[in-house]
């Protein structure tokens, strides 16, 4: 009996259940509030804003390179609430795993290599699988790889679909630049190889590459979007996910294991395509340089690494006499263990979703939920000086106010401004500087800058578990100051539901 055919659906179910559980985290990302707001504005107005209406410190045009994904987020939220967003993320994650699974099993049946690699991949993917437009890049990159491998396996018509992938991708997320760079590397390496071997693949790849470059122009901004990418991509970013990978600690351990396994495959004489090795080395370099790119590197490794591991395992098995035949009872027991582990994963996922009613939650330890409720209930609006990571939460909940900074960073703000905003809220040296140059009316801040309470011209009107609110007392006075002085402000002691939004 061919037990591989018996085990394959069981192992696939196990990997899928493991992936779904890993992708099920229920706390809302800080940027999600803004993405829904911007997507709703685009959908309801029928046009994409060319200037920023949400901040009082921004200058120049706003190039929203994630507009299509934001419209998708808005439509899902408008139709099914945060449950629709949760379901979308789970379906998208499962689609990625299934697409790469299908690619693997079209070339190998080694279940051990499959399970080992895909469980590692699941952990690497889960690191970046927040509800953000980058999900589009995590889907379109495997789609691109699937089409490229399909071409190299003999289906030349697969390349026809690559330019349409780039049309969608360029309107969803800036990761399209990485996608075009990877495809360009594949074309370049294969063209060089064909120059030595006399192959003809380069002609078809080059035609698809030209079509993909033209597809990059199919966006609301035309060539200005590409200019924007060239300007902003090299900029340094003071954001945790853009920091470098620490090679000598236990962080991102699954990614490091994948890198070590890849390095090990280079020592074995198993056939490899030049361009496969090139794009993976490219990915490893950027994954080490910026931890957010570890996800892309894991995806780049997936068509290559488990296949190499399977080939190495096959060579080892063929060179040894170790090939035990297990009795049927042992196979039955193995099947029960696999099913039990898959059921456990499903049960854990169901427990997490049941606790939240299959809805996203807002983390009260992260967001200023009490302070924003205070501002909303007292109808306090204006220019709000707010930490960058709270900006889009404020944009969503206080639509009649504007913010000093938010998570759009360099797409709207000068890097210097974002830095000054952070210095102010942290209370670092020179924090007072930022108060002088913009028309701040309200300050919503955390607990770090204690000197702010002694600052002339401002009075604290609210303090909650996570944040404080200050109103301007110097000209131009803010109406909230007079309400505070006359004890007209309301303070609601009731608990706040943590369901999104």
């Amino acid at each position: 009996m061919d037990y591989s055919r018996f085990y394959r659906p069981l192992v696939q179910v196990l990997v899928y259940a493991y992936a779904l559980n890993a992708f099920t985290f229920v706390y809302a990302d800080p940027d999600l509030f803004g993405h829904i707001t911007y997507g709703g504005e685009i959908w309801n107005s029928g046009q994409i804003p060319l200037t920023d209406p949400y901040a009082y410190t921004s200058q120049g045009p706003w190039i929203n390179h994630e507009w299509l994904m934001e419209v998708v987020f808005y439509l899902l939220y408008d139709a099914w609430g945060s449950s629709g967003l949760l379901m979308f993320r789970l379906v998208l994650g499962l689609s990625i795993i299934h697409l790469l699974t299908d690619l693997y099993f079209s070339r190998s049946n080694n279940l051990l290599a499959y399970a080992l690699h895909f469980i590692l991949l699941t952990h690497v993917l889960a690191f970046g699988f927040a509800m953000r437009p980058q999900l589009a890049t995590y889907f379109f990159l495997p789609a691109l790889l699937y089409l490229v491998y399909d071409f190299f396996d003999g289906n030349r018509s697969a390349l026809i679909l690559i330019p349409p992938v780039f049309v969608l991708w360029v309107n969803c997320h800036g990761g399209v630049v990485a996608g075009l760079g990877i495809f360009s590397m594949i074309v370049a390496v294969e063209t060089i190889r064909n120059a030595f071997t006399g192959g003809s693949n380069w002609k078809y790849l080059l035609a698809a590459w030209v079509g993909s470059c033209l597809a990059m122009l199919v966006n609301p901004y035309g060539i200005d979007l590409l200019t924007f990418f060239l300007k902003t991509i090299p900029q340094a970013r003071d954001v945790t996910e853009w920091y470098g990978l620490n090679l000598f600690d236990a962080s991102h351990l699954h990614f490091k294991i994948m890198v070590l396994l890849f390095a090990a495959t280079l020592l074995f004489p198993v056939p490899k395509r030049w361009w496969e090795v090139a794009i993976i080395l490219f990915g490893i370099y950027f994954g080490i340089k910026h931890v957010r790119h570890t996800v892309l590197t894991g995806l780049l490794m997936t068509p290559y690494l488990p296949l190499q591991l399977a080939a190495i395992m096959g060579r080892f098995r063929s060179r040894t006499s170790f090939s035990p035949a297990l009795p049927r009872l042992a196979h039955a027991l193995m099947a029960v263990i696999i099913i039990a582990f898959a059921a456990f994963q499903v049960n854990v996922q169901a427990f997490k979703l049941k606790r939240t009613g299959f809805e996203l939650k807002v983390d009260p330890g992260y967001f200023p939920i009490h302070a924003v409720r205070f501002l909303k209930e007292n109808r306090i609006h204006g220019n709000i000086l707010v930490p960058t990571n709270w900006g889009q939460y404020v944009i969503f909940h206080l639509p009649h106010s504007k913010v000093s900074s938010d998570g759009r960073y360099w797409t709207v703000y000068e890097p210097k401004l974002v830095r000054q905003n952070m210095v102010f809220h942290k209370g670092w040296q020179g924090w007072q500087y930022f108060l002088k140059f913009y028309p701040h009316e309200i300050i919503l801040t955390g607990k770090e800058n204690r000197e702010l309470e002694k600052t002339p011209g401002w009075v604290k009107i609210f303090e909650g578990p996570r944040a404080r609110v200050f109103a301007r007392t110097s000209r131009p006075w803010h109406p909230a100051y007079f309400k505070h002085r006359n004890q007209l402000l309301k303070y609601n002691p009731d608990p706040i539901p943590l369901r999104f939004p």
Side-chain angles (χ1 to χ4, degrees):
M1 179 178 177
D2 183 5
Y3 282 103
S4 64
R5 297 180 63 183
F6 169 72
Y7 280 121
R8 176 176 163 178
L10 297 180
V11 174
Q12 277 190 247
V13 168
L14 170 62
V15 168
Y16 289 9
Y18 195 86
L20 285 176
N21 185 26
F23 299 154
T24 304
F25 38 92
V26 296
Y27 283 107
D29 184 85
D31 293 345
L32 179 58
F33 300 92
H35 293 314
I36 293 173
T37 301
Y38 314 144
E41 176 65 25
I42 294 168
W43 179 259
N44 293 317
S45 68
Q47 58 185 1
I48 299 173
L50 299 179
T51 56
D52 173 39
Y54 303 105
Y56 61 93
T57 56
S58 59
Q59 298 176 352
W62 174 26
I63 293 184
N64 185 354
H65 60 289
E66 300 168 340
W67 71 271
L68 184 56
M69 204 64 174
E70 290 173 344
V71 169
V72 171
F73 286 175
Y74 168 74
L75 292 176
L76 288 168
Y77 178 71
D78 187 55
W80 297 291
S82 65
S83 300
L85 296 170
L86 262 177
M87 181 59 70
F88 173 76
R89 184 175 62 191
L90 293 175
V91 170
L92 193 69
L94 191 60
S95 299
I96 294 168
I97 296 296
H98 180 71
L99 188 67
L100 294 172
T101 293
D102 184 64
L103 181 60
Y104 172 77
F105 281 121
S106 67
R107 297 178 293 156
S108 176
N109 288 316
N110 188 305
L111 296 177
L112 180 58
Y114 167 73
L116 172 64
H117 175 84
F118 275 77
I119 286 176
L120 290 172
L121 174 68
T122 293
H123 285 277
V124 173
L125 268 177
F127 166 72
F129 224 70
M131 197 69 204
R132 295 163 66 179
Q134 64 198 38
L135 291 177
T137 288
Y138 299 159
F139 175 78
F140 286 127
L141 180 58
L144 171 65
L145 294 173
Y146 188 96
L147 294 172
V148 168
Y149 276 92
D150 197 22
F151 165 76
F152 279 98
D153 288 342
N155 182 13
R156 289 180 175 175
S157 61
L159 295 182
I160 297 173
L161 296 177
I162 291 181
V165 166
F166 277 98
V167 169
L168 292 173
W169 197 349
V170 76
N171 289 286
C172 288
H173 188 247
V176 68
V177 176
L180 186 62
I182 290 164
F183 189 41
S184 300
M185 186 174 294
I186 293 171
V187 175
V189 173
E190 186 65 9
T191 299
I192 293 171
R193 191 187 73 84
N194 285 179
F196 288 98
T197 62
S200 60
N201 281 343
W202 70 273
K203 298 178 183 178
Y204 305 99
L205 287 167
L206 186 61
W209 179 81
V210 171
S212 300
C213 291
L214 294 175
M216 295 282 284
L217 298 173
V218 184
N219 67 81
Y221 309 100
I223 198 169
D224 288 344
L225 178 61
L226 308 186
T227 304
F228 166 79
F229 286 146
L230 290 174
K231 176 184 175 183
T232 58
I233 286 175
Q235 291 181 1
R237 298 162 173 85
D238 193 11
V239 185
T240 304
E241 64 185 20
W242 284 93
Y243 292 169
L245 178 68
N246 189 332
L247 297 175
F248 305 105
D249 63 10
S251 64
H252 301 278
L253 184 60
H254 301 88
F255 171 76
K256 293 172 184 175
I257 293 173
M258 290 177 70
V259 171
L260 291 175
L261 289 173
F262 166 74
T265 65
L266 300 179
L267 303 176
F268 288 86
V270 178
K272 303 170 180 63
R273 293 185 173 113
W274 294 6
W275 59 264
E276 287 182 303
V277 176
I279 62 174
I280 292 173
L281 290 174
F282 171 83
I284 290 173
Y285 169 76
F286 281 99
I288 293 173
K289 187 175 181 181
H290 305 296
V291 292
R292 69 172 286 156
H293 292 143
T294 56
V295 178
L296 301 185
T297 309
L299 292 171
L300 288 174
M301 288 187 191
T302 297
Y304 167 91
L305 184 54
L307 201 67
Q308 290 285 312
L309 295 176
I312 293 169
M313 291 176 187
R315 282 173 173 256
F316 175 78
R317 189 180 298 114
S318 66
R319 293 178 181 180
T320 64
S321 58
F322 182 73
S323 183
L326 297 176
R328 289 191 175 184
L329 182 61
H331 285 293
L333 181 61
M334 185 71 69
V336 169
I337 292 173
I338 293 173
I339 293 170
F341 191 64
F344 172 75
Q345 296 296 319
V346 172
N347 187 59
V348 172
Q349 181 195 27
F351 175 75
K352 288 190 287 188
L353 293 174
K354 184 179 179 181
R355 280 195 311 171
T356 65
F358 205 89
E359 293 181 321
L360 289 173
K361 291 178 66 177
V362 177
D363 184 357
Y366 185 88
F367 294 100
I369 58 175
H370 297 88
V372 168
R373 179 178 69 175
F374 166 79
L375 292 170
K376 187 185 297 186
E377 291 183 348
N378 285 282
R379 298 183 181 181
I380 298 174
H381 309 296
N383 294 336
I384 303 179
L385 193 144
V386 62
T388 297
N389 55 343
W390 290 350
Q392 302 197 70
Y393 181 78
V394 171
I395 287 172
F396 183 95
H397 284 281
L398 302 173
H400 301 295
S401 297
K402 292 188 175 185
V403 298
S404 59
S405 179
D406 65 81
R408 290 172 295 168
Y409 291 101
W410 53 90
T411 65
V412 173
Y413 307 100
E414 291 292 331
K416 182 180 178 182
L417 182 143
V418 177
R419 174 70 181 177
Q420 291 171 343
N421 193 76
M422 180 176 67
V423 167
F424 172 83
H425 290 284
K426 294 291 185 182
W428 293 341
Q429 184 177 1
W431 64 267
Q432 302 91 338
Y433 176 86
F434 198 54
L435 280 177
K436 302 176 182 178
F437 291 96
Y438 295 96
H440 315 295
E441 296 174 324
I442 297 293
I443 298 175
L444 172 61
T445 188
K447 303 296 184 75
E448 294 94 337
N449 189 348
R450 304 309 302 187
E451 293 297 316
L452 183 58
E453 300 191 12
K454 307 173 186 176
T455 302
W458 295 90
V459 63
K460 183 171 69 174
I461 60 174
F462 176 86
E463 181 163 0
R466 187 72 183 89
R468 299 169 294 165
V469 177
F470 295 80
R472 178 186 285 276
T473 62
S474 59
R475 295 184 179 181
W477 300 291
H478 192 276
Y481 164 59
F482 295 102
K483 287 185 177 181
H484 169 74
R485 192 172 65 179
N486 295 317
Q487 298 183 343
L488 298 176
L489 294 173
K490 297 180 292 184
Y491 298 88
N492 189 342
D494 296 338
I496 301 177
L498 301 181
R499 293 195 303 269
F500 184 90

